[in-house]
Amino acid sequence: MTSPALAAASPESAAALPVSLPETLGAATLGESLPNGSQEFGRLDPGTSEIGIGPILQRGTGPIRAVHYVPAGVDTVLWGRLPAAGDAPILSVDSGTEVTIDTVSHEGLLDDQGGDPAAFFGAHGVPRNRILDDAVEIAGSVPRDASIDGPHVVSRPIEVRGARPGDVLGITLVEALRRVPYGVISNRHGRGALPDRFPEGSENVSVFSPVMPNDPSDLAADAPAHGSVPLRTGAPGSGDDPRTPPSGSQPGLGDGVAPGRATFPLRPFLGIMGVAVAETERPHSVPPGMHGGNIDVSLLVPGTTIYLPVQVAGALAYVGDPHFAQGDGEVSLTALEASLRVTVRFDLVSASEAAARWGTLSAPLIETPEFLVPCGLGDTLDEAMRACVGASVALLGTRFDMESHLAYAYLSAATDFRISQVVDRVVGVHATIRRSDFEGDQNLGALIAASESYESALAADDTAALDAAFIEGPGTLRADAHGILRGSEAISRFRGRRGGTARREVVGRDVRWIDPHNALMVIETRTLSGGRGLNTQHWTLGPGGWRIALAQVAAPAAAIDPAVWRIVGTPLVPASAAGLLAGERIAVKDLFAVAGQRIGAGVPAYLAESENEIEPAHAPALAALLEAGAEVTGIAQTDEFAYGLTGTSGPHAPAANPAAPGHLPGGSTSGPAVAVASGQVGIGLGTDTAGSIRVPAAYQGLWGLRTTHGLVSRAGVLPLAPSFDTVGWLTRSPELLRRVLRASVPQLSVEASEPEILCLPDLLPGIDPDVLSAYHAALARLEAQGLTITELAPAHLAEVPEVFRVVQAGEAHAAHGEWVAAHPGALDPAVAERFRAAANLDPAVLAAAITRLPELRAHLNAALGERVVLLPTTPGPAPRVDADPAELDRVRAHTLRLTTLASLTGRPALAFPVPRAPGALPIGLSLIGPPGSEHTLLALAETLFPSTVREIS
């Protein structure tokens, strides 16, 4: 079934994605897939040469690159008009965010083609299961007045947070996947470059073009491929007449391998990318303008960016008009047009930065790896050409400080001006200014390429390539925390004995020019084992290209940080046997008994008083890990008495969040979480009462498991609220978490089921837009896997946080109230206030909550049954470290609405990260299952966002 939660946006946020999936999708058999992961309903069917060979990317099936996914459907597209001021966004994202969008071509949907894509393409021999469901839905249900509206299907707008009029929005096409292996080229309505000659008859012409992969064995949706048209009517496989008969359909023209056909390579791009106009009336989809829109520049293939002046707050960006191929000019009215699944990235450029880079844009600007591409628009080609030349002169003046008359001369000698299209009412011309003709751009491109080659050599431990990357001679330097290496020979010897370095990925490069032949580059990296690093390099351009003269390496932070650790060793406790966890290191939350150590509970005064209370044996939960081959690196910090969710209490708190600098780490298992996220250990052993494992997992991009209540022994663990206290773990990957689970609970069944998924909409109001969007995307993926999604509103769900709070407070007071009362001033004020409130609880209120607890637990467990709940882990990303107490109290209350369901019912809960763009704050989702379903939760989470399975913070 289709989840009602997917059908409409949350009233709290315009970022809630109104996904609408067909009823058939949930029940489809998706067991067979094509090599790129795209899937047919129930069978592998690559097609034929007559109708095209390749995958069919129906909604929700096949590869979906980004976390944010916008399918095409009645609620997510406009037909014939472009967004304008006042249109509500379907999604809100930050600058730098990638979004995957299903686009639908209008070919086959239009009234003069019959208005029925199933019939239109069926007449060409395309079976119904190879025709896009969303195209059929749009043709039948999306409003359009053919007499006044344009033909194009475009996405509803996407808000880019922080965008203001005067800024410039960059839209980069990151990926373009063919959703079908066929397309259409049309000439209609007496339009095109030769309207007095074509169409030759009274009927409009729609030529069907099958797509064939260049390599017949490569069926990926972005594999190199070609389209074709017959040389003559009646050629083999072409049908008798290439013109559309009155019914709106025509015989097939397929046969991609038959003689008598002209073939041409595919270069997919989007004809329409734009921003909303500052008007209340939606503009017609055909003429392009300053807003972008139907710009139809064939250079806009993956890896290129169009820059558009923002006209309304939030930019309200959109895309559409997918093309498989187009010649400059697009002379017959349309090119080879067909549906694409695209991933685009939105990058906001401030007004001041835009002015410095480009001056005042008079039309859209495009940048490709090879060219700067100013555009000119006009009612005639003469007007468009003059506008493009003027824009080019202005750009060269701003970008390279080139005098106007010299820029004019350069353009005449060196730049091609190409016709974009002559069929969109407003015609277009674009210039192709070679970057390589300008030393600054040429040097920057070569410098980045040299840096990328150096990173590749590091990853491969290619010492010869690394030696070649540095300038030879005694003046070359390499420095790190251990000292300075002077001279290329010393650096080479160091690499030879180092034996490789930690695998890492670059998340940012900043370049500052000293002169055209010297540059400083600062590179921010993330190691695949966790943690961040900075590398500062001085590059020099010489006869052999760009090479490094000086490199300074700042590796991830060292292990001894008192905000993270109370005590460490090398190791503190060795493994007691070999096993599943051999070689792994543990950070133990300071609530667990470690033989020979004391329990400090995050409170220095409590630790001091336990000087003579040395633990004689390990807590069983720790002993199981040691017996499986892991060793203890140290005892890590916790919120005081584990009575917190932010990681802000304790003498050295908060620890720095390695995944979100300047933001809180989450608690109370804060120390182990930071140790894991920074790569100092692989396993964090902790407890979860109200979310103390799940919250830091969400804030730091980790995998965190709260086990079934009572499944893992709590012996030797300092309690907070025994009715809810549970042992669990944090890791960077599900693979390690699974091994930890097997080592700790070997008797637990490893069989994973395919459960029904529950959506609890009563818990979703107020969720951060990014989290809510990721939640909807996860539900859509689960439904695409064939799982049933059910909306549930259990009775008495609203009671959970308060019953939990009262019982937790009563048990916390029973465990530690006497000590807290005897040590005024020993605790952080927020924690002390919780204990004060607990001490002052009305006994009748406490008794009522204790009585209600088992009743409520039984009722909710019966309502949830064997099903699995999907929820956001936290309402948003980690708060800033300087958030005021009132804001932290608000976040805590909202978080408890999400986390206490698992705590009160005793069910296991798995928190897992959502993949994010580099630099974006981590967010997470959680799965809550029936008792003993830990392995099912892990298996299910791995299918949702496979990119998070990589072990990376």
Side-chain angles (χ1 to χ4, degrees):
M1 63 166 287
T2 300
S3 165
L6 297 177
S10 163
E12 269 69 35
S13 169
L17 180 61
V19 179
S20 179
L21 295 175
E23 295 290 334
T24 55
L25 188 58
T29 301
L30 301 176
E32 297 185 78
S33 63
L34 295 170
N36 70 331
S38 58
Q39 293 162 317
E40 291 283 353
F41 292 125
R43 64 189 182 92
L44 179 63
D45 178 12
T48 67
S49 59
E50 289 78 13
I51 60 172
I53 292 179
I56 304 297
L57 302 187
Q58 297 282 10
R59 280 179 292 203
T61 70
I64 299 174
R65 174 186 173 103
V67 173
H68 302 284
Y69 168 51
V70 180
V74 174
D75 297 324
T76 59
V77 303
L78 299 174
W79 191 4
R81 294 279 169 172
L82 305 179
D87 277 330
I90 55 170
L91 186 66
S92 293
V93 299
D94 292 322
S95 176
T97 299
E98 292 185 1
V99 180
T100 296
I101 304 170
D102 280 349
T103 65
V104 173
S105 171
H106 56 276
E107 292 290 356
L109 282 67
L110 299 174
D111 292 345
D112 59 27
Q113 296 171 320
D116 182 356
F120 178 84
F121 292 112
H124 295 283
V126 182
R128 177 61 184 84
N129 72 327
R130 295 184 67 76
I131 298 169
L132 295 177
D133 295 331
D134 45 22
V136 174
E137 176 186 306
I138 290 166
S141 302
V142 175
R144 171 179 177 264
D145 185 341
S147 66
I148 59 173
D149 294 333
H152 305 101
V153 178
V154 300
S155 67
R156 286 183 179 269
I158 295 172
E159 177 189 26
V160 180
R161 287 190 284 268
R164 295 172 296 184
D167 296 337
V168 171
L169 183 68
I171 307 176
T172 299
L173 183 59
V174 177
E175 181 180 69
L177 304 179
R178 298 184 295 275
R179 299 186 64 200
V180 293
Y182 51 82
V184 175
I185 310 165
S186 289
N187 174 226
R188 58 169 68 92
H189 313 311
R191 299 215 178 118
L194 301 175
D196 54 342
R197 180 176 174 186
F198 296 102
E200 291 181 325
S202 60
E203 302 296 337
N204 296 323
V205 172
S206 293
V207 179
F208 181 86
S209 176
V211 167
M212 300 289 289
N214 294 353
D215 178 353
S217 66
D218 189 351
L219 299 180
D222 57 354
H226 59 275
S228 67
V229 296
L231 301 185
R232 300 189 62 79
T233 301
S238 71
D240 295 327
D241 191 344
R243 291 172 294 185
T244 305
S247 66
S249 64
Q250 73 171 82
L253 299 176
D255 191 358
V257 296
R261 300 187 72 84
T263 63
F264 49 90
L266 303 189
R267 285 174 53 84
F269 73 100
L270 290 170
I272 290 178
M273 292 194 279
V275 295
V277 297
E279 302 170 7
T280 56
E281 182 179 354
R282 292 172 176 161
H284 195 280
S285 72
V286 170
M290 279 292 290
H291 59 281
N294 191 28
I295 201 76
D296 276 337
V297 176
S298 62
L299 290 174
L300 279 166
V301 296
T304 63
T305 304
I306 186 169
Y307 291 97
L308 303 165
V310 173
Q311 301 186 33
V312 301
L316 300 184
Y318 53 88
V319 301
D321 191 25
H323 289 52
F324 279 8
Q326 178 189 296
D328 286 344
E330 199 180 21
V331 295
S332 85
L333 181 64
T334 81
L336 177 54
E337 308 203 359
S339 302
L340 293 168
R341 173 170 294 163
V342 298
T343 297
V344 294
R345 187 181 68 247
F346 301 105
D347 294 294
L348 189 60
V349 182
S350 69
S352 58
E353 182 182 353
R357 286 167 64 175
W358 305 304
T360 300
L361 293 182
S362 58
L365 173 68
I366 296 165
E367 293 194 2
T368 81
E370 186 178 0
F371 299 115
L372 300 175
V373 187
C375 297
L377 301 172
D379 292 333
T380 67
L381 277 176
D382 282 348
E383 290 181 12
M385 181 68 177
R386 286 194 294 270
C388 189
V389 174
S392 300
V393 169
L395 176 65
L396 293 176
T398 301
R399 184 78 170 242
F400 304 114
D401 196 26
M402 195 174 193
E403 294 183 26
S404 296
H405 73 285
L406 298 177
Y408 195 42
Y410 162 78
L411 292 169
S412 187
T415 296
D416 291 329
F417 287 80
R418 297 161 58 172
I419 298 173
S420 310
Q421 49 73 28
V422 295
V423 295
D424 293 337
R425 303 184 183 177
V426 173
V427 300
V429 172
H430 59 275
T432 50
I433 301 172
R434 286 184 299 271
R435 290 176 178 270
S436 59
D437 291 354
F438 294 85
E439 187 176 47
D441 264 34
Q442 178 185 23
N443 285 353
L444 178 60
L447 174 59
I448 297 299
S451 175
E452 290 173 344
S453 296
Y454 177 71
E455 291 295 324
S456 296
L458 274 176
D461 194 28
D462 185 343
T463 55
L466 292 171
D467 287 346
F470 278 70
I471 294 174
E472 295 181 6
T476 304
L477 299 177
R478 181 196 181 278
D480 61 18
H482 300 287
I484 299 175
L485 296 171
R486 296 175 174 86
S488 56
E489 289 188 8
I491 297 170
S492 179
R493 288 194 299 270
F494 161 75
R495 287 201 200 91
R497 65 177 182 267
R498 178 178 58 183
T501 187
R503 293 180 60 205
R504 71 189 192 190
E505 66 178 10
V506 173
V507 297
R509 285 185 175 90
D510 285 271
V511 176
R512 296 294 182 268
W513 293 99
I514 300 171
D515 58 45
H517 298 275
N518 291 276
L520 288 178
M521 181 182 294
V522 179
I523 302 174
E524 183 181 6
T525 62
R526 292 189 299 188
T527 62
L528 297 188
S529 59
R532 290 177 179 253
L534 288 175
N535 299 270
T536 303
Q537 299 160 345
H538 175 188
W539 290 79
T540 295
L541 179 62
W546 285 102
R547 300 170 77 183
I548 299 171
L550 179 152
Q552 196 275 333
V553 180
I560 307 302
D561 179 350
V564 178
W565 300 102
R566 179 168 71 75
I567 185 172
V568 296
T570 56
L572 185 66
V573 182
S576 56
L580 278 173
L581 303 177
E584 298 293 346
R585 301 187 304 277
I586 312 166
V588 180
K589 187 175 185 178
D590 195 8
L591 299 180
F592 288 79
V594 178
Q597 302 293 332
R598 295 170 289 152
I599 295 176
V603 183
Y606 185 86
L607 177 66
E609 290 192 2
S610 64
E611 184 174 350
N612 297 320
E613 298 178 11
I614 302 298
E615 297 298 324
H618 301 307
L622 173 58
L625 301 180
L626 296 171
E627 290 164 5
E631 63 182 33
V632 173
T633 295
I635 298 172
Q637 299 286 8
T638 172
D639 275 287
E640 293 167 343
F641 291 119
Y643 210 174
L645 289 175
T646 54
T648 54
S649 66
H652 304 285
N657 183 338
H663 293 258
L664 294 174
S668 63
T669 311
S670 53
V674 171
V676 172
S678 61
Q680 300 174 53
V681 299
I683 303 166
L685 174 60
T687 60
D688 187 303
T689 303
S692 292
I693 282 176
R694 291 166 284 161
V695 172
Y699 287 176
Q700 299 187 48
L702 301 175
W703 292 73
L705 179 61
R706 170 195 168 89
T707 55
T708 302
H709 188 255
L711 180 67
V712 179
S713 172
R714 298 193 307 277
V717 181
L718 192 71
L720 175 64
S723 292
F724 312 116
D725 294 344
T726 303
V727 172
W729 313 278
L730 291 143
T731 65
R732 291 185 299 276
S733 75
E735 183 277 329
L736 178 54
L737 189 54
R738 183 176 289 106
R739 282 192 283 136
V740 170
L741 179 61
R742 288 174 57 197
S744 300
V745 196
Q747 74 276 14
L748 187 65
S749 171
V750 299
E751 295 297 322
S753 63
E754 295 185 356
E756 180 180 348
I757 305 300
L758 292 180
C759 166
L760 306 182
D762 290 347
L763 298 183
L764 298 181
I767 300 297
D768 180 88
D770 279 358
V771 178
L772 196 61
S773 181
Y775 174 74
H776 285 304
L779 280 174
R781 293 189 185 202
L782 289 170
E783 191 163 36
Q785 293 169 25
L787 297 180
T788 299
I789 311 294
T790 301
E791 184 180 281
L792 185 69
H796 311 296
L797 181 63
E799 293 182 47
V800 170
E802 181 62 11
V803 171
F804 173 89
R805 182 192 69 81
V806 173
V807 175
Q808 181 197 36
E811 294 187 353
H813 177 69
H816 305 297
E818 184 178 346
W819 189 94
V820 171
H823 296 80
L827 300 182
D828 176 85
V831 178
E833 174 58 26
R834 287 181 203 122
F835 275 107
R836 187 200 64 76
N840 292 329
L841 268 177
D842 184 333
V845 172
L846 177 58
I850 292 172
T851 300
R852 182 58 175 151
L853 174 61
E855 299 170 351
L856 187 57
R857 177 177 289 161
H859 169 78
L860 290 172
N861 276 321
L864 300 179
E866 295 300 308
R867 298 175 290 186
V868 169
V869 177
L870 177 69
L871 280 176
T873 304
T874 58
R880 291 192 55 82
V881 293
D882 56 0
D884 61 55
E887 169 65 8
L888 295 182
D889 285 344
R890 186 194 67 79
V891 171
R892 175 182 171 84
H894 200 163
T895 301
L896 289 172
R897 292 182 60 231
L898 299 170
T899 59
T900 51
L901 176 62
S903 300
L904 187 139
T905 58
R907 293 182 164 231
L910 173 68
F912 57 95
V914 171
R916 302 276 276 161
L921 297 176
I923 58 175
L925 302 176
S926 286
L927 292 166
I928 303 171
S933 63
E934 282 83 350
H935 283 289
T936 291
L937 302 184
L938 275 165
L940 198 58
E942 285 184 272
T943 69
L944 283 173
F945 300 113
S947 63
T948 67
V949 172
R950 292 182 306 143
E951 189 169 297
I952 185 165
S953 68

